[in-house]
């Protein structure tokens, strides 16, 4: 069952977790798990210092600088396939060198310095599907 | 913590669910949830008639015909971020117009005609990460 724009946004809710796919200059595509918050019609992804990584110069930032087009996919898996759903957001990304209040929905982001930048997605298309 | 090849394959196990990212000729990237099985060093994604959709001429097949490079991302989310992990497979895809025995790990695929084709991923790189 195809979902309309309103139902898709309802499933995104105020935020959650999903997968961000970006264009990689040599390898074609890249994908990485992300958490996100929703603020008005925009989707906010943190660049954080909480989840251990080697650098905050993340490949996703390199990719988005090269090509700002991206997809956020949010899906619910269930062994009962009648309960599956997903929402896909095609968007253009901008990077802001600051956190965003909406990201404090995640408790770990309430710590000082936890979020060093925000990837702001401006949705071009929001579509979805549910099994029943 | 970066994961080596062996630990990454161990997390993929015999199969499960993930997100397939492909190159879209106009929109840059696409992403769609998938289930997969593992057979030897290859990863198998079904084109099925089980999960209701408008057509089996899926956009993922159009994309892969245009550019066979893709990424399968498998991740485990948990509100306790010390339990996060993900595995990412960069691969080249080939489409075979038949099912595959390994896909019968999913009970619904044991039905006659449930799988009409298989997307076979030849991994070029398998990497992973876990929080702790």
């Amino acid at each position: 069952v195809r979902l309309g724009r309103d139902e898709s946004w309802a499933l995104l809710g105020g935020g959650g977790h999903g997968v961000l796919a970006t264009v990689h200059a040599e390898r074609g595509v890249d994908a990485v798990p992300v958490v996100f918050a929703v603020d008005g019609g925009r989707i906010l992804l943190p660049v954080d210092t909480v989840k251990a990584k080697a650098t905050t110069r993340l490949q996703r930032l390199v990719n988005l600088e090269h090509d700002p087009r991206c997809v956020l996919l949010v899906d619910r898996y269930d062994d009962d396939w009648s309960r599956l759903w997903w929402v896909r957001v095609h968007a253009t990304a901008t990077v802001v060198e600051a956190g965003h209040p909406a990201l404090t929905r995640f408790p770990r982001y309430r710590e000082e310095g936890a979020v060093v930048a925000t990837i702001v997605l401006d949705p071009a298309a929001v579509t979805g599907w549910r099994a029943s």
Side-chain angles (χ1 to χ4, degrees), chain A residues 4 19 35 73 77 87 90 103 108 120-121:
Chain A
V19 171
V35 295
L73 184 81
Y77 185 77
V87 173
H90 283 271
L103 289 168
R108 296 289 300 280
V120 180
L121 303 189

Side-chain angles (χ1 to χ4, degrees), chain A residues 50-62:
Chain A
V50 175
K51 300 187 234 81
K53 36 187 97 66
T55 171
T56 56
R57 184 64 186 153
L58 302 173
Q59 186 64 43
R60 72 199 76 170
L61 298 178
V62 176

Side-chain angles (χ1 to χ4, degrees), chain A residues 1-4 6-8 10-11 74-76 80-88 127-132:
Chain A
V1 184
R2 287 276 160 196
L3 305 183
D6 288 352
E7 196 176 356
S8 297
L11 284 170
V74 180
D75 80 304
R76 197 265 296 271
D80 173 0
W81 289 357
S82 72
R83 302 177 65 190
L84 301 178
W85 61 258
W86 55 260
V87 173
R88 178 167 47 213
T127 56
W129 176 90
R130 58 180 164 80
S132 58

Side-chain angles (χ1 to χ4, degrees), chain A residues 1-2 5 16-17 24 26 28 31 34 46-47 50 56-57 72 83 85 87-89 95 98 103-104 109 115 118 127:
Chain A
V1 184
R2 287 276 160 196
R5 184 184 165 83
H17 56 96
H24 187 288
E26 287 87 42
V34 292
V47 178
V50 175
T56 56
R57 184 64 186 153
L72 175 71
R83 302 177 65 190
W85 61 258
V87 173
R88 178 167 47 213
V89 181
V95 178
L103 289 168
T104 57
Y109 291 156
V115 179
T118 304
T127 56

Side-chain angles (χ1 to χ4, degrees), chain A residues 109-120:
Chain A
Y109 291 156
R110 292 171 200 159
E111 299 159 25
E112 182 77 21
V115 179
V116 295
T118 304
I119 302 172
V120 180

